[in-house]
Amino acid sequence: MLSCTLVGALPCTAAPPPLKMEINSMSEALQLHAQTLKSGNNQRNHQHDLTKIFTFSALSSNGDLTYARLILDSVPSPNSFHYNTMIRAYSRSPDPIKALHFFLSVIRNSPTIPDKFTYPFLLKSCARLGLTHQGKQLHGLIVKSGFGSDRYVQHSLIHMYCACQKLGHAFKVFDKMRERDVVSWTAMIDGLVDNDRPLEAMKLFEKMIEDKVEVNEVTVVSVLRACAEAGALSVGRRVHEVVKEQRIELKAHVSTALIDMYAKCGCIESAMRVFDEINVDKDVYSWTAMIAGLASHGNCQEALDLFNQMQELNINPDERTMTAVLSAYRNAGWVREGYTCLKTMHKKYGVWPTIQHYGCVVDLLARVGHLSDAEELIKNMPIKPDGVLWRTLIWACKVHKDMNRAERLIEHLESLKMDSNDDCGNLVLIGNVYASAGKWLDKARTRELMNKRGLVKPPGASKIEIDEAIHEFIVGDSDHPEAEKIYAKLDEIEEKLREEEYQPKLHEVLLEVDDEEKAFQLSHHSEKLALAFGLIKTSPGTEIRIVKNLRSCEDCHAFMKVISKKYQRDIIMRDRIRFHHFSNGICSCKDYW
Ligand code: ZN
Ligand code: ZN
């Protein structure tokens, strides 16, 4: 092991050149270190080799941070390079708080003053840990020490505030930046998308275009991600135009982002066009995006045909490709084929099944009512099943009305230790299962548990794009400026549906209230509000596209079908699982979702 005296007390003799050795592993680093000590290099060469060993130990993925620290502690007068390297290494380590502790000890005990390279890594640690308070203190220090206008520091501040979900603060930094370049834009857009605020990300992109800031492929990919998320087709199309106008090179990842955007905005034909237009070799990501897009639209056979073509071209599928393929089987309801694919995928394609792959097949079995098989598959899988898998099965028990199994599985689920996200999902599901069986006392018990643990069920929300603006509705929304017109439209629709002898599916409202109240609640689900708004705002015959954050209820699904016929409108709705194309009273999912 390295000792301080050894390192400090090297003889300074006439100079053999520094040891030339590239370091690839810690054992090589140790070997070089021993050689350096033995060879009696002069002080300068010794420092050169030591720096090399220190940098490798600190920053390489094969390094050893403890060893780096030992070297640092043995250096008689470390400089800012040493300190910054150490802070950088800690900020990337599994324990980023150490970067902050180290920094504090340095400013207390050493005359070395932090420079502009010190702060970005400290801010990165705060970002990783979500430490807003410490981040703000650093911000103060940055301004005091005169680095407040350094562009790299500013980007790091924006990133830190976005990661800590303090978007207001991020915007303030952003607004103060004297020269906003393409990087700071992009940093802000990325932050907004990651914080689930795609609408603001798109606004920012539009401002970029207005201000004639030249955009690059990184910006384009970020903003396409935002459009895909929000279902903002016309903005997405405009981004595509910008790509063409500014002759941004259509590298594979830009094409993949375009395919993904078009598919997620419900335009599978446009996605296909982009896919076909890729003239350089398509990579596995583009193939996967296209296969996933087709599967989510229920074009399952086409998805599988594409998968075959891909193999003919000797492109190896990866984990994501296999998820896309299995979701094609799931959405088609092809049990035998899906199950076989899962069982043979490692042998055939060299991809070990992950929890997502098992999830697809459990869902596939459960939906068609093969509940025992699904349960067996979960119990015997080689990976530890997560809450999602159990919830998928319990949901299916509710749908197929197997209450005994549901209660048994609920007991099992409650015995597992879950994090709070899972906890919330579990209790919402359990409450739904009890309510569907009329077990109101049990349902009340789960609600009490949720209150006690401070858990809030996420509300159902639907988005619709009208005249290039996204409108978002939550259930029972009255905040929209045109709320009055929307509810009047819903009344008119209901009147018309009565003529069709449409019956609201009251069992979907899981509260102990009378039928009239249930019907009232059902009619105000977010996707119905979005649909009514779409009918008001678009001319007859125009397609209506809606994006919903959760799975749609049976009543909304039936409602969309009737409207598509009665009003002669194609409705394309994306829910958490897949797309539904409603046309002339029929849905592309064949009522299987
Ligand atoms: Zn509904
Ligand atoms: Zn459907």
Side-chain angles (χ1 to χ4, degrees), residues 557 561 578-582 587-593:
H557 195 267
K561 285 203 291 186
R578 60 170 293 151
F579 275 93
H580 301 264
H581 290 231
F582 301 93
C587 181
S588 62
C589 76
K590 304 190 186 77
D591 299 338
Y592 179 94
W593 84 98

Short mmCIF file of all heavy atoms in Angstrom, two decimals, residues 557 561 578-582 587-593, ligand 2:
data_model
loop_
_atom_site.label_atom_id
_atom_site.label_comp_id
_atom_site.label_asym_id
_atom_site.label_seq_id
_atom_site.Cartn_x
_atom_site.Cartn_y
_atom_site.Cartn_z
N HIS A 557 -64.17 4.58 -23.41
CA HIS A 557 -63.88 3.83 -24.64
C HIS A 557 -65.16 3.66 -25.46
O HIS A 557 -65.17 3.93 -26.68
CB HIS A 557 -63.28 2.47 -24.27
CG HIS A 557 -62.63 1.77 -25.41
ND1 HIS A 557 -63.30 0.87 -26.20
CD2 HIS A 557 -61.37 1.84 -25.92
CE1 HIS A 557 -62.48 0.41 -27.13
NE2 HIS A 557 -61.30 0.99 -26.98
N LYS A 561 -66.32 5.43 -29.21
CA LYS A 561 -66.79 4.65 -30.37
C LYS A 561 -68.09 5.25 -30.92
O LYS A 561 -68.22 5.47 -32.13
CB LYS A 561 -67.03 3.19 -29.95
CG LYS A 561 -65.75 2.40 -29.76
CD LYS A 561 -65.95 0.90 -29.90
CE LYS A 561 -66.74 0.32 -28.74
NZ LYS A 561 -66.83 -1.13 -28.79
N ARG A 578 -51.38 2.05 -25.21
CA ARG A 578 -51.39 1.91 -26.66
C ARG A 578 -52.27 2.99 -27.31
O ARG A 578 -52.79 3.86 -26.62
CB ARG A 578 -51.94 0.53 -27.04
CG ARG A 578 -53.35 0.30 -26.52
CD ARG A 578 -53.97 -0.95 -27.11
NE ARG A 578 -54.19 -0.79 -28.53
CZ ARG A 578 -54.18 -1.80 -29.38
NH1 ARG A 578 -53.96 -3.04 -28.95
NH2 ARG A 578 -54.41 -1.60 -30.66
N PHE A 579 -52.43 2.88 -28.64
CA PHE A 579 -53.33 3.79 -29.35
C PHE A 579 -54.66 3.14 -29.61
O PHE A 579 -54.76 1.93 -29.80
CB PHE A 579 -52.73 4.14 -30.72
CG PHE A 579 -51.77 5.27 -30.64
CD1 PHE A 579 -50.42 5.03 -30.46
CD2 PHE A 579 -52.22 6.57 -30.72
CE1 PHE A 579 -49.53 6.08 -30.38
CE2 PHE A 579 -51.34 7.62 -30.64
CZ PHE A 579 -50.00 7.38 -30.47
N HIS A 580 -55.69 3.97 -29.64
CA HIS A 580 -57.01 3.51 -30.07
C HIS A 580 -57.42 4.40 -31.25
O HIS A 580 -57.44 5.62 -31.10
CB HIS A 580 -58.03 3.67 -28.95
CG HIS A 580 -57.65 2.92 -27.70
ND1 HIS A 580 -58.15 1.66 -27.43
CD2 HIS A 580 -56.82 3.23 -26.69
CE1 HIS A 580 -57.63 1.24 -26.27
NE2 HIS A 580 -56.81 2.18 -25.80
N HIS A 581 -57.70 3.78 -32.39
CA HIS A 581 -58.22 4.54 -33.54
C HIS A 581 -59.71 4.25 -33.61
O HIS A 581 -60.11 3.13 -33.96
CB HIS A 581 -57.60 4.08 -34.85
CG HIS A 581 -56.16 4.43 -35.01
ND1 HIS A 581 -55.67 5.07 -36.12
CD2 HIS A 581 -55.10 4.26 -34.20
CE1 HIS A 581 -54.36 5.26 -35.98
NE2 HIS A 581 -54.01 4.77 -34.81
N PHE A 582 -60.51 5.24 -33.27
CA PHE A 582 -61.96 5.04 -33.33
C PHE A 582 -62.45 5.55 -34.67
O PHE A 582 -62.17 6.69 -35.04
CB PHE A 582 -62.66 5.82 -32.22
CG PHE A 582 -62.21 5.45 -30.83
CD1 PHE A 582 -61.19 6.15 -30.20
CD2 PHE A 582 -62.82 4.40 -30.16
CE1 PHE A 582 -60.77 5.82 -28.92
CE2 PHE A 582 -62.41 4.06 -28.88
CZ PHE A 582 -61.39 4.76 -28.25
N CYS A 587 -63.31 0.39 -32.75
CA CYS A 587 -61.96 0.78 -32.32
C CYS A 587 -60.93 -0.23 -32.83
O CYS A 587 -61.20 -1.43 -32.85
CB CYS A 587 -61.86 0.89 -30.81
SG CYS A 587 -60.20 1.39 -30.29
N SER A 588 -59.76 0.31 -33.20
CA SER A 588 -58.70 -0.56 -33.75
C SER A 588 -58.24 -1.61 -32.74
O SER A 588 -57.66 -2.62 -33.12
CB SER A 588 -57.51 0.30 -34.16
OG SER A 588 -56.98 0.96 -33.01
N CYS A 589 -58.47 -1.39 -31.45
CA CYS A 589 -58.00 -2.36 -30.45
C CYS A 589 -58.96 -3.54 -30.35
O CYS A 589 -58.72 -4.48 -29.61
CB CYS A 589 -57.82 -1.70 -29.09
SG CYS A 589 -59.35 -1.40 -28.21
N LYS A 590 -60.04 -3.49 -31.10
CA LYS A 590 -61.09 -4.51 -31.07
C LYS A 590 -61.55 -4.74 -29.63
O LYS A 590 -61.76 -5.87 -29.19
CB LYS A 590 -60.60 -5.82 -31.70
CG LYS A 590 -60.09 -5.64 -33.12
CD LYS A 590 -59.84 -6.99 -33.78
CE LYS A 590 -59.20 -6.84 -35.14
NZ LYS A 590 -57.75 -6.54 -35.08
N ASP A 591 -61.64 -3.66 -28.90
CA ASP A 591 -62.11 -3.66 -27.50
C ASP A 591 -61.24 -4.52 -26.60
O ASP A 591 -61.71 -5.06 -25.60
CB ASP A 591 -63.56 -4.13 -27.41
CG ASP A 591 -64.46 -3.20 -28.19
OD1 ASP A 591 -64.05 -2.05 -28.41
OD2 ASP A 591 -65.55 -3.63 -28.60
N TYR A 592 -60.00 -4.62 -26.92
CA TYR A 592 -59.09 -5.45 -26.15
C TYR A 592 -57.93 -4.56 -25.72
O TYR A 592 -57.08 -4.23 -26.52
CB TYR A 592 -58.61 -6.58 -27.07
CG TYR A 592 -57.64 -7.52 -26.41
CD1 TYR A 592 -58.09 -8.68 -25.83
CD2 TYR A 592 -56.28 -7.22 -26.39
CE1 TYR A 592 -57.21 -9.53 -25.20
CE2 TYR A 592 -55.41 -8.07 -25.77
CZ TYR A 592 -55.87 -9.22 -25.18
OH TYR A 592 -55.00 -10.06 -24.56
N TRP A 593 -57.97 -4.09 -24.46
CA TRP A 593 -56.86 -3.21 -24.03
C TRP A 593 -56.61 -3.31 -22.55
O TRP A 593 -57.40 -3.94 -21.87
CB TRP A 593 -57.13 -1.78 -24.46
CG TRP A 593 -58.00 -0.98 -23.54
CD1 TRP A 593 -57.60 -0.11 -22.59
CD2 TRP A 593 -59.43 -0.97 -23.48
NE1 TRP A 593 -58.67 0.45 -21.95
CE2 TRP A 593 -59.80 -0.06 -22.46
CE3 TRP A 593 -60.44 -1.65 -24.17
CZ2 TRP A 593 -61.15 0.18 -22.12
CZ3 TRP A 593 -61.75 -1.40 -23.85
CH2 TRP A 593 -62.10 -0.49 -22.83
ZN ZN B 2 -59.74 0.78 -28.23
#
